[in-house]
Amino acid sequence: MSNKVKASLLILFIFIKSIVFAQKKGDDFSNKIFNFQFIYNGQFPSGDWEKMYGVSHGLGFGVNYKSQTNWLFSAESSFMLSSNLKNTADLVNLTNSNNYTFNSNSGTPATVDLSMRGFNAFGRIGKIIPVSRFNKNHGILLQIGAGYLMHYLNFNIPQNTVAQLNEENQRGYDRLHGGLATNQFIGYYFHSESRLLNFYVGLDFAQAYTKNLREYNYDTRQYDLNSKQDNYTAFRFAWMIPIYLSSKTEEFNFRAN
């Protein structure tokens, strides 16, 4: 990770911490909260994934539940995309000496746009460590999780003018990979007392144990049966819409009885 990224994260953390201590004082209380969450990931690949793709983006949706003891349980899914490709050898058997692919109808050069598409789904469990006793609804968030990840090479061909890359044949070139994955997250989780500012931000780490689900690649005319290690480190930001399931008044009445 570059020094600029590290510096930006440090500044962001200091800013968030200043918000925390600017909150007005209250008593020692933590709510039960159910959240809808909208997620963005800026993903930096490593392992076998880095050999084919560069930086990618993830957009997702999920839900989480924060208990009164600050355990966090979540489920989510994200779509991944990237136009940053490092290897376009998939067209090696479809191009001429000038690296053109031809329109099967007219014989003229055809446009083939390549990109990465993917999907992941995770379940997570974590713990929020409060940094202030006056509001335990925010603090340092540590999470671990497990799920599934897949990715493939996407072909965008206007008007489907390349017969060699029809929907059926693309399966032999798209490098569809999928497998079980684990992840870890460290960051900052925040619920404001006004209930209007609710988010978490931090670093997300994923390790996917994938294989080629097509097994055979048309361009290399070889089987690809080896297991892959597809990892990424991501900057994650999620905006949450909360539903409060407990309040200070309810808790006071419960304890009084």
Side-chain angles (χ1 to χ4, degrees):
M1 185 182 301
S2 69
N3 291 332
K4 289 184 179 180
V5 175
K6 292 180 179 178
S8 298
L9 291 175
L10 178 60
I11 293 171
L12 182 60
F13 178 78
I14 294 173
F15 172 72
I16 294 172
K17 195 170 183 179
S18 68
I19 294 177
V20 171
F21 288 103
Q23 298 291 313
K24 67 178 183 179
K25 292 185 178 182
D27 51 16
D28 187 351
F29 182 79
S30 176
N31 294 94
K32 298 176 184 177
I33 307 174
F34 180 85
N35 294 286
F36 295 97
Q37 54 182 355
F38 301 89
I39 304 161
Y40 168 76
N41 268 0
Q43 299 165 168
F44 300 85
S46 58
D48 291 298
W49 203 357
E50 187 179 19
K51 297 175 183 177
M52 288 192 65
Y53 307 115
V55 175
S56 61
H57 304 276
L59 299 173
F61 172 80
V63 295
N64 68 51
Y65 168 74
K66 188 188 82 65
S67 74
Q68 201 156 0
T69 54
N70 275 8
W71 285 98
L72 190 72
F73 305 90
S74 64
E76 65 191 51
S77 62
S78 296
F79 291 97
M80 303 179 293
L81 62 157
S82 175
S83 58
N84 190 350
L85 308 183
K86 293 186 176 181
N87 187 351
T88 56
D90 302 74
L91 296 181
V92 66
N93 294 327
L94 299 175
T95 59
N96 63 12
S97 58
N98 294 319
N99 203 33
Y100 283 124
T101 299
F102 286 97
N103 185 317
S104 57
N105 297 323
S106 64
T108 58
T111 300
V112 179
D113 293 324
L114 302 177
S115 58
M116 186 276 287
R117 294 289 186 272
F119 170 84
N120 63 53
F122 287 104
R124 303 179 187 238
I125 181 172
K127 182 73 172 179
I128 300 166
I129 305 171
V131 297
S132 169
R133 68 184 181 87
F134 301 117
N135 185 348
K136 287 193 172 183
N137 288 326
H138 50 74
I140 303 298
L141 173 59
L142 303 174
Q143 280 186 304
I144 58 174
Y148 187 83
L149 182 147
M150 61 171 286
H151 58 83
Y152 63 95
L153 189 65
N154 180 67
F155 295 84
N156 181 24
I157 307 171
Q159 300 178 351
N160 297 315
T161 53
V162 181
Q164 304 97 312
L165 288 175
N166 59 32
E167 185 174 347
E168 180 62 28
N169 286 342
Q170 286 180 24
R171 295 167 59 88
Y173 295 93
D174 66 9
R175 298 296 198 275
L176 175 65
H177 282 65
L180 298 178
T182 57
N183 64 11
Q184 307 81 38
F185 175 85
I186 179 171
Y188 201 87
Y189 181 98
F190 185 81
H191 275 292
S192 68
E193 291 188 2
S194 68
R195 303 190 180 187
L196 297 177
L197 185 61
N198 312 284
F199 66 91
Y200 63 88
V201 62
L203 294 178
D204 197 43
F205 308 90
Q207 308 83 37
Y209 311 94
T210 69
K211 63 179 181 178
N212 188 339
L213 302 181
R214 306 302 192 196
E215 297 187 347
Y216 185 81
N217 295 325
Y218 289 179
D219 58 308
T220 62
R221 296 189 177 93
Q222 293 179 342
Y223 284 93
D224 179 9
L225 305 177
N226 296 326
S227 298
K228 305 296 195 307
Q229 184 75 56
D230 293 334
N231 306 328
Y232 67 73
T233 299
F235 169 78
R236 165 174 283 222
F237 176 83
W239 184 263
M240 298 183 293
I241 300 176
I243 299 175
Y244 280 71
L245 304 178
S246 68
S247 67
K248 293 181 182 180
T249 302
E250 291 169 348
E251 180 65 13
F252 176 80
N253 292 334
F254 174 79
R255 291 179 178 178
N257 295 328

